[in-house]
Amino acid sequence: MYVKDVVVQNQVGLHARPATFFIQKANEYKSSIWVEKEERRVNAKSLLGVLSLGIVGGTTIRVIADGADEEQAVEGLISLVQFGFAE
């Protein structure tokens, strides 16, 4: 299991478009991946799950992966979040 925290950089957070980019990236990996905000954890490969967290800019989220490519999965998603989803 590989875990890392990141602060969401873009002002609007993970609304529909960036959440879609996030999920597409998560689906590139074989590992099971979750996103955690405060005490809630959802499947990072689920659009409804990610949107249900209501992640806004400045929020700290935790990305958790478990599987063969867990480290690459977490680092890839963290990088996407840090660069503001290229928006």
Side-chain angles (χ1 to χ4, degrees):
M1 187 171 286
Y2 191 74
V3 179
K4 200 164 184 182
D5 291 348
V6 64
V7 175
V8 177
Q9 298 296 326
N10 66 331
Q11 290 184 328
V12 292
L14 260 94
H15 64 86
R17 192 163 157 222
T20 300
F21 292 146
F22 188 85
I23 288 144
Q24 287 172 342
K25 185 74 171 171
N27 278 302
E28 293 176 10
Y29 303 103
K30 292 183 172 145
S31 295
S32 296
I33 308 169
W34 300 274
V35 179
E36 205 172 76
K37 176 188 161 200
E38 297 161 358
E39 297 301 314
R40 288 198 54 216
R41 181 185 287 190
V42 298
N43 182 343
K45 297 178 182 182
S46 162
L47 181 59
L48 287 177
V50 172
L51 290 175
S52 75
L53 291 177
I55 298 166
V56 296
T59 302
T60 299
I61 60 171
R62 177 168 286 155
V63 181
I64 304 157
D66 190 22
D69 55 0
E70 60 192 27
E71 193 168 333
Q72 297 94 321
V74 170
E75 294 299 336
L77 290 168
I78 294 287
S79 176
L80 183 67
V81 172
Q82 287 175 328
F83 290 106
F85 306 95
E87 286 200 315

